[in-house]
């Protein structure tokens, strides 16, 4: 069977006028008018459905097909008829229809509109809904755009390990990887776990970030990026945290914080433009049903400069806002992490566009960030998106051996475990910087979908790892 994709029919409409084709897909609806029936078919190749016209006099199995339920799969041969005067530009007049797979009245996606909470309980079926077909095609196009952006600039794509023995962020939010028998854990004399008996001969965990290994490659290739899954055992049940999420982490030699911010801004704009360009039907649906201002906002962001403010100035802005009546749950105070409410105020209310906050206090940031001359802050930059808060975390890295070593000691890190990282500062060190973009946060931003559980195929969160 030579199967024509519905996407192709729409793309090359005039060539297909009068052509005999075979399409295959799933029933979205069937309207039976007794002697004629209309089937709305979707084959996944594009957002649009195809209208199939079925004539009782031309099909032996008319009644069988007309009685099929939503979700049934059909293989249909017929003639393409151009219908320029109707809302849809073409339809298929069926000559033969095979029912590949029936569906039933118990099929959970009968109704047009079902809540996203309900759809999370049918994760295996929800990709068939309009919302998820839009979100996951955009996710695919965004991934392609990210690779294109970096490849066009000569970056080398590196696959960093998922199982690791170092904690890249030093936050201790890692999942254990072990083959030890948990009912009989081998211990040392002092009662602690004897990791030498474990699979790797030491304690191993799932990575929270590929950055440290990406730095190894940046010192050889200059410009590199990772794009892969990362894991965090954060016990936070928010709409923007997942236990398994994907991250893009470029790392660039001979680059400072300003250079790093420019690359992240260029990258975000490139991805936005690509998605607007390649997914007009999906974006139109999201703009209509999910987030009314979505397309206009993205167009605007793609064409204007991001805001930049230092952490110290940002705290001032937030305190002024509080003094003028804005209510925050947490009082903004120098030295404290910015809370999501603070991040959102800055990006949404104050600047009304993506905003870089730079030069955070060193005590709220990771050990590898480059210390500024003031002795209090580090060369970090978080990019905050309106509606979301932090979407990118980046920094210039500490390239000075002695300064890095002193900082690691100050944080009581196990120096032996990180000697490889110190080595980079011993052999041909250079100014370098990089960032991490949370892929799901980006998809939330691009689609207007406000829950991370609905932009990742099978979400993993505290208490839930279904499928
Ligand atoms: O700010 P983070 O922790 O930075 C790093 O991991 C650095 N090593 C990145 C680098 O410089 N190479 O995480 C980076 C981004 C965040 O800005 C956020 O978008 C996303 O990863 N992120 C999460 N996304 C979903 N669920 C979670 N639990 C996330 N934690 C972080
Ligand atoms: Mg961060």
């Amino acid at each position: 069977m030579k199967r024509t994709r519905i996407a192709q029919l729409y793309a090359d409409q005039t060539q297909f006028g009068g052509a005999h084709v075979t399409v295959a897909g799933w029933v979205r609806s069937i309207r039976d008018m007794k002697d004629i029936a209309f089937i709305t078919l979707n084959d996944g190749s594009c957002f649009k459905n195809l209208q199939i016209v079925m004539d009782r006099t031309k099909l032996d199995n008319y009644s069988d097909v007309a009685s099929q339920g939503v979700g049934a799969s059909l293989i249909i041969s017929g003639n393409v008829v151009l219908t320029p005067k109707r809302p849809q530009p073409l339809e298929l007049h069926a000559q033969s229809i095979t029912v590949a797979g029936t569906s039933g009245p118990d099929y959970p996606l009968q109704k047009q509109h079902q809540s996203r909470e309900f759809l999370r309980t049918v994760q295996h079926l929800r990709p068939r809904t309009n919302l998820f077909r839009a979100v996951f095609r955009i996710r695919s196009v965004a991934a392609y755009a990210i690779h294109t952006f970096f490849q066009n600039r000569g970056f080398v794509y590196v696959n960093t390990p998922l199982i690791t023995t170092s904690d890249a962020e030093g936050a201790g939010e890692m999942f254990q990887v072990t083959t030890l028998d948990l009912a009989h854990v081998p211990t040392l004399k002092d009662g602690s776990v004897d990791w030498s008996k474990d699979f790797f001969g030491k304690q191993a965990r799932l990575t929270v970030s590929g950055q440290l290994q990406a730095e190894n490659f940046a010192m050889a290739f200059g410009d590199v990026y990772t794009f892969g899954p990362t894991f965090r055992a954060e016990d936070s049940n928010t709409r923007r945290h997942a236990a398994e999420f994907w991250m893009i982490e470029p790392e660039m030699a001979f680059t400072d914080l300003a250079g790093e911010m420019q690359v992240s801004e260029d990258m975000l704009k490139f991805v936005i433009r690509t998605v607007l360009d390649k997914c007009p039907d999906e974006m139109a649906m999201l703009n209509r049903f999910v987030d009314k201002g979505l397309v206009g906002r993205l167009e605007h962001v793609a064409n204007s400069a991001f805001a930049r403010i230092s952490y110290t100035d940002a705290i001032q802005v937030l305190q002024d806002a509080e003094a003028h009546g804005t209510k925050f749950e947490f009082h903004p105070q120098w030295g404290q992490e910015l809370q999501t409410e603070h991040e959102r105020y800055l990006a949404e209310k104050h600047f009304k566009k993506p905003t870089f906050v730079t030069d955070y206090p060193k005590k709220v940031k990771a050990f590898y960030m480059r210390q500024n001359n003031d002795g209090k802050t580090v060369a970090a930059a978080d990019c905050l998106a309106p509606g979301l808060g932090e979407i990118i975390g980046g920094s210039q890295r500490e390239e000075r051996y002695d300064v890095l070593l002193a900082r690691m000691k100050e944080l009581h890190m196990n120096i032996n475990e990180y000697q490889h990282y110190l080595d980079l500062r011993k052999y041909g060190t250079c100014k370098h910087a990089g960032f991490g973009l949370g892929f799901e946060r980006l998809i939330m931003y691009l689609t207007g979908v406000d829950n991370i559980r609905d932009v990742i195929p099978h979400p993993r969160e505290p208490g839930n790892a279904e499928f």
Side-chain angles (χ1 to χ4, degrees):
M1 170 184 86
K2 189 183 168 298
R3 183 182 152 209
T4 302
R5 301 295 191 278
I6 293 175
Q8 243 178 306
L9 293 181
Y10 281 108
D12 307 321
Q13 286 167 26
T14 44
Q15 270 111 304
F16 277 107
H20 183 84
V21 299
T22 300
V23 299
W26 294 270
V27 170
R28 311 273 306 180
S29 69
I30 298 183
R31 267 185 307 138
D32 184 7
M33 328 288 275
K34 278 221 175 104
D35 293 324
I36 192 165
F38 299 97
I39 304 173
T40 308
L41 194 81
N42 191 278
D43 72 351
S45 65
C46 64
F47 191 72
K48 288 192 185 83
N49 301 314
L50 180 65
Q51 164 136 299
I52 315 287
V53 183
M54 190 165 76
D55 185 335
R56 188 182 283 281
T57 60
K58 298 208 174 102
L59 291 167
D60 302 339
N61 60 347
Y62 179 97
S63 303
D64 180 35
V65 176
S67 67
Q68 293 300 317
V70 179
S73 48
L74 305 178
I75 301 167
I76 304 169
S77 296
N79 288 326
V80 177
V81 176
L82 299 182
T83 53
K85 295 210 176 85
R86 306 248 189 86
Q88 70 277 9
L90 49 80
E91 56 191 28
L92 186 67
H93 289 201
Q95 288 169 340
S96 79
I97 300 185
T98 308
V99 179
T102 60
S103 180
D106 59 340
Y107 180 61
L109 308 179
Q110 299 287 348
K111 281 187 282 174
Q112 281 285 356
H113 295 291
Q114 273 158 322
S115 76
R116 288 195 270 137
E117 288 73 17
F118 167 73
L119 292 172
R120 277 178 220 140
T121 69
V122 286
Q123 272 177 47
H124 56 311
L125 302 173
R126 69 177 187 169
R128 305 179 189 195
T129 62
N130 279 345
L131 175 70
F132 290 94
R133 286 194 299 117
V135 165
F136 289 111
R137 186 176 306 277
I138 287 169
R139 187 175 165 120
S140 165
V141 168
Y144 161 82
I146 284 163
H147 280 294
T148 305
F149 175 83
F150 287 116
Q151 296 285 335
N152 283 350
R153 291 183 174 216
F155 282 59
V156 169
Y157 175 41
V158 195
N159 301 123
T160 50
L162 301 190
I163 299 175
T164 176
T165 51
S166 42
D167 180 355
E169 293 302 301
E173 293 168 330
M174 299 180 83
F175 288 101
Q176 191 78 55
V177 177
T178 181
T179 52
L180 291 177
D181 176 357
L182 295 182
H184 305 94
V185 176
T187 52
L188 296 167
K189 285 210 180 70
D190 65 0
S192 64
V193 178
D194 182 2
W195 295 109
S196 72
K197 300 267 169 26
D198 203 352
F199 190 91
F200 299 105
K202 52 184 180 165
Q203 187 177 14
R205 293 172 296 189
L206 291 180
T207 191
V208 293
S209 154
Q211 180 195 321
L212 302 193
Q213 295 93 343
E215 282 188 53
N216 296 340
F217 275 71
M219 291 302 127
F221 291 93
D223 297 314
V224 302
Y225 71 105
T226 71
F227 190 166
T230 49
F231 309 86
R232 296 205 184 172
E234 286 169 280
D235 199 9
S236 43
N237 244 313
T238 79
R239 59 181 188 82
R240 25 168 254 146
H241 286 89
E244 176 180 306
F245 62 98
W246 285 58
M247 195 165 20
I248 295 99
E249 295 187 275
E251 194 66 37
M252 298 157 279
F254 303 104
T255 299
D256 61 9
L257 191 69
E260 177 269 300
M261 285 191 282
Q262 195 56 53
V263 172
S264 41
E265 179 170 344
D266 293 349
M267 175 200 63
L268 285 175
K269 288 177 173 171
F270 181 82
V271 176
I272 291 173
R273 265 192 226 107
T274 307
V275 166
L276 288 172
D277 225 39
K278 289 192 180 286
C279 305
D281 295 335
E282 285 81 358
M283 292 308 292
M285 189 284 283
L286 293 166
N287 195 61
R288 207 166 144 210
F289 294 110
V290 176
D291 179 350
K292 294 254 182 306
L294 180 67
V295 170
R297 196 168 63 238
L298 291 176
E299 294 277 7
H300 175 69
V301 166
N303 295 311
S304 56
F306 291 11
R308 285 165 170 69
I309 187 173
S310 73
Y311 167 90
T312 302
D313 291 346
I315 292 293
Q316 194 58 55
V317 166
L318 293 165
Q319 289 178 346
D320 289 348
E322 207 174 40
H324 288 91
T326 301
K327 293 262 179 294
F328 293 121
E329 190 183 337
F330 297 90
H331 172 61
Q333 197 172 356
W334 204 97
Q336 303 293 313
E337 267 287 16
L338 292 183
Q339 300 292 327
T340 305
E341 57 177 344
H342 303 146
E343 296 178 341
R344 290 188 55 177
Y345 179 87
L346 291 167
E348 243 161 273
K349 300 263 160 51
H350 190 74
F351 289 109
K352 302 186 172 64
K353 56 183 171 180
T355 301
F356 288 107
V357 176
T358 64
D359 305 294
Y360 285 74
K362 67 176 178 185
K363 67 173 189 218
V364 303
K365 288 293 182 190
F367 71 95
Y368 52 71
M369 296 190 180
R370 193 181 198 279
Q371 290 187 49
N372 290 327
N373 292 336
D374 61 14
K376 293 188 301 192
T377 61
V378 287
D382 280 2
C383 181
L384 316 179
L388 259 178
E390 180 188 341
I391 176 167
I392 291 178
S395 73
Q396 190 171 329
R397 319 306 189 190
E398 185 55 78
E399 85 285 11
R400 298 162 296 186
Y401 189 99
D402 298 338
V403 181
L404 179 61
L405 183 63
R407 181 66 181 146
M408 289 167 73
K409 284 184 173 158
E410 202 176 1
L411 293 167
H412 308 293
M413 291 173 62
N414 181 340
I415 305 300
N416 285 335
E417 293 285 332
Y418 293 88
Q419 192 52 55
H420 58 91
Y421 193 66
L422 284 159
D423 271 1
L424 297 184
R425 281 73 185 161
K426 207 160 118 191
Y427 310 122
T429 193
C430 69
K431 229 179 234 182
H432 63 291
F435 64 85
L437 165 67
F439 191 45
E440 285 72 21
R441 301 239 177 123
L442 172 67
I443 305 305
M444 291 169 74
Y445 187 61
L446 292 171
T447 58
V449 168
D450 64 1
N451 196 312
I452 199 165
R453 294 167 185 80
D454 300 327
V455 298
I456 189 163
H458 297 295
R460 273 84 186 85
E461 57 190 302
N464 175 29
E466 263 199 277
F467 295 82

